Amino acid sequence: MKTALITGITGQDGSYMAEFLLNKGYQVYGLSRRTSTVTTERISHIIDKIKIVEGDLVDQHSLTHIIKDVKPQEVYNLAAQSFVPSSFSQPVLTGEITALGVIRMLEAVRIGYPKAKFYQASSSEMFGKAQEVPQSEKTPFYPRSPYGVAKLYGHWITVNYRESYNLFAVSGICFNHESPRRGTEFVTRKISQAVARIKLGKQKKLVLGNIDAKRDWGYALDYMEAMWLMLQQKKAQDFVIGTGETHSVKEFAKLAFEVVGINNWEDYIEVNRTHFRPAEVDLLIADNTKAKKILKWQPKTSFRKLIDIMVKSDLEREAKV
Ligand code: NAP
Ligand code: G4F
């Protein structure tokens, strides 16, 4: 039986990755930090099938011990301070977790179990003020937030450990991927939740920031396979993972309202500058040619289907509370 360690197991991706690996027959360990309230909501249905180990990306000692004890064949480093606006209000903490957390994990692997294959959750936010359209593995980076800069450190240190110590360490440069398990502060889930609440008469307005921003949005479940495939290759290398389509926040909102039969969607939207960022990423769109060719991966869920899944899930959830 293969053993995998997932950091960030309580997050959106960590929870789906745990399900994905359990289905493949893995023994799954999940790293989780101590909190005063329960954070296992997304994994409550599988909690008996996985082993939770306590550690924190800011604490080297815990990470090294966990890797030495568990000796995982595969490590999925999905933990991060992942919300871009919080990286402007807490830039140093974001650097500690999202940047230095990666080298702590790599050091733990190098010292504790160098045979482990390591996956780093890199981000399309590293492209930021995009130097090329669409963005591929060869596009120069130009991050536009403390989060993007921190992810860039994580990305390059992963490359560096692969080249310096011959670790099997790779990065998936993932574009935005969403689901009913997405945190409600991210724009897609903020919209799907608000649409459900407006339909049910529980909310009057949806207050957004820059609705002209464009993203390459995919369905999170589809991305787990790509991450796993990257660790099954003979050669360690990095891949861009995205759909190859881009849509604006406005388009996402329009289609979300359509799911519940509201066509005068603009009447419910208010734009407020408090949600604008000090520096914005205007347009992201993936060139996923390499992933299609080498990993034989491609997204299965369309943009419309993703919105349909998210809005219907929130309708069901909101009808209960
Ligand atoms: P998420 O839902 O925000 O989950 C983040 C996870 O990291 C949570 O489990 C959180 O634990 C954990 N974490 C935060 N700080 C930690 C620390 N100091 N020590 C240990 N764990 C810590 O993020 P996601 O959407 O699943 O994304 C997964 C990864 O992919 C992240 O690295 C993100 O930056 C990256 N990424 C995401 C996307 C996307 O569109 N989703 C795209 C590109 C890259 P708590 O529950 O305790 O807070
Ligand atoms: O949903 P967002 O907050 O996601 P963002 O900033 O693109 O970051 C996500 O994707 C990255 C991959 O590219 C990940 F690395 C990162 O961890 C995270 O998962 O915002 C998307 C866009 C932005 O342009 C933002 O300005 O939506 C715009 N937006 C407009 N109104 C809003 C809002 N974003 C949020 N969160 N809330 C709003 O009210």
Side-chain angles (χ1 to χ4, degrees), residues 12-13 119 121-128 130 132-137 139 141 147 172-178 182 214-220 223 227 239-246 281 283-288 297:
Q12 172 189 262
D13 286 9
Y119 174 87
S122 283
S123 164
S124 51
E125 272 291 301
M126 302 187 308
F127 295 123
E132 196 173 54
V133 178
Q135 295 88 45
S136 76
E137 295 79 5
T139 303
F141 298 118
Y147 168 80
I173 307 173
C174 284
F175 284 63
N176 300 49
H177 44 279
E178 319 294 313
R182 187 58 141 155
K214 289 181 150 185
R215 290 290 183 277
D216 179 325
W217 279 297
Y219 186 30
Y223 289 54
M227 295 177 193
F239 289 89
V240 154
I241 307 295
T243 69
E245 265 185 47
T246 193
V281 172
L283 167 70
L284 292 176
I285 176 166
D287 174 351
N288 58 16
W297 177 85

Side-chain angles (χ1 to χ4, degrees), residues 261-275:
I262 296 177
N263 294 319
N264 58 334
W265 60 280
E266 278 164 305
D267 295 346
Y268 294 94
I269 290 187
E270 192 179 300
V271 171
N272 192 311
R273 290 200 72 84
T274 56
H275 292 297

Side-chain angles (χ1 to χ4, degrees), residues 81-85 122-126 147 151 174-178 182 185-188 190 207-211 213-215 217 249 275-277 280-282 284:
Q81 189 307 91
S82 75
F83 189 46
V84 172
S122 283
S123 164
S124 51
E125 272 291 301
M126 302 187 308
Y147 168 80
K151 277 287 171 189
C174 284
F175 284 63
N176 300 49
H177 44 279
E178 319 294 313
R182 187 58 141 155
E185 67 276 35
F186 297 93
V187 78
T188 56
K190 184 175 170 179
V207 183
L208 293 171
N210 177 14
I211 57 175
K214 289 181 150 185
R215 290 290 183 277
W217 279 297
V249 172
H275 292 297
F276 280 54
R277 296 169 185 189
E280 176 62 284
V281 172
D282 295 318
L284 292 176

Side-chain angles (χ1 to χ4, degrees), residues 13-305:
D13 286 9
S15 66
Y16 285 125
M17 185 50 86
E19 281 172 10
F20 180 89
L21 294 174
L22 284 173
N23 286 336
K24 289 217 170 283
Y26 281 61
Q27 167 73 69
V28 175
Y29 286 79
L31 179 132
S32 177
R33 54 182 170 171
R34 192 262 157 188
T35 47
S36 67
T37 49
V38 176
T39 57
T40 49
E41 193 194 331
R42 293 182 176 107
I43 47 170
S44 55
H45 58 298
I46 49 169
I47 200 83
D48 295 338
K49 298 182 184 143
I50 57 185
K51 294 191 177 165
I52 296 293
V53 285
E54 196 178 284
D56 196 302
L57 249 59
V58 300
D59 181 59
Q60 181 71 63
H61 196 68
S62 60
L63 305 178
T64 311
H65 272 286
I66 288 166
I67 295 285
K68 274 186 177 164
D69 291 347
V70 173
K71 295 186 178 49
Q73 276 116 321
E74 295 174 13
V75 176
Y76 295 88
N77 186 35
L78 307 183
Q81 189 307 91
S82 75
F83 189 46
V84 172
S86 297
S87 81
F88 284 104
S89 55
Q90 299 176 67
V92 177
L93 181 72
T94 301
E96 278 294 346
I97 301 171
T98 306
L100 292 181
V102 184
I103 196 166
R104 292 191 191 100
M105 282 302 297
L106 284 163
E107 273 294 279
V109 167
R110 185 179 74 82
I111 292 162
Y113 194 60
K115 277 199 277 188
K117 292 183 171 183
F118 181 84
Y119 174 87
Q120 167 57 17
S122 283
S123 164
S124 51
E125 272 291 301
M126 302 187 308
F127 295 123
K129 191 173 178 180
Q131 301 295 292
E132 196 173 54
V133 178
Q135 295 88 45
S136 76
E137 295 79 5
K138 293 193 174 121
T139 303
F141 298 118
Y142 194 141
R144 293 273 279 171
S145 63
Y147 168 80
V149 175
K151 277 287 171 189
L152 196 49
Y153 176 87
H155 183 76
W156 279 117
I157 203 66
T158 302
V159 173
N160 181 257
Y161 267 51
R162 175 166 79 220
E163 293 174 356
S164 304
Y165 304 113
N166 205 24
L167 294 185
F168 192 108
V170 301
S171 278
I173 307 173
C174 284
F175 284 63
N176 300 49
H177 44 279
E178 319 294 313
S179 75
R181 291 188 201 164
R182 187 58 141 155
T184 51
E185 67 276 35
F186 297 93
V187 78
T188 56
R189 184 74 202 292
K190 184 175 170 179
I191 294 171
S192 64
Q193 188 185 49
V195 165
R197 289 175 61 81
I198 288 168
K199 178 69 182 173
L200 296 170
K202 294 166 81 176
Q203 187 173 327
K204 289 199 160 45
K205 286 270 176 202
L206 166 57
V207 183
L208 293 171
N210 177 14
I211 57 175
D212 294 318
K214 289 181 150 185
R215 290 290 183 277
D216 179 325
W217 279 297
Y219 186 30
L221 254 77
D222 294 348
Y223 289 54
M224 300 305 123
E225 190 192 15
M227 295 177 193
W228 176 79
L229 281 170
M230 286 176 65
L231 294 195
Q232 313 313 310
Q233 304 301 302
K234 281 215 171 75
K235 186 177 155 205
Q237 53 182 320
D238 307 325
F239 289 89
V240 154
I241 307 295
T243 69
E245 265 185 47
T246 193
H247 299 275
S248 65
V249 172
K250 212 189 283 182
E251 260 180 283
F252 191 104
K254 178 178 180 286
L255 291 177
F257 276 105
E258 268 179 32
V259 173
V260 297
I262 296 177
N263 294 319
N264 58 334
W265 60 280
E266 278 164 305
D267 295 346
Y268 294 94
I269 290 187
E270 192 179 300
V271 171
N272 192 311
R273 290 200 72 84
T274 56
H275 292 297
F276 280 54
R277 296 169 185 189
E280 176 62 284
V281 172
D282 295 318
L283 167 70
L284 292 176
I285 176 166
D287 174 351
N288 58 16
T289 311
K290 185 179 173 190
K292 276 185 174 158
K293 188 171 168 222
I294 297 176
L295 301 178
K296 313 272 181 265
W297 177 85
Q298 56 180 22
K300 297 186 179 86
T301 313
S302 71
F303 181 60
R304 272 179 185 274
K305 182 71 190 164

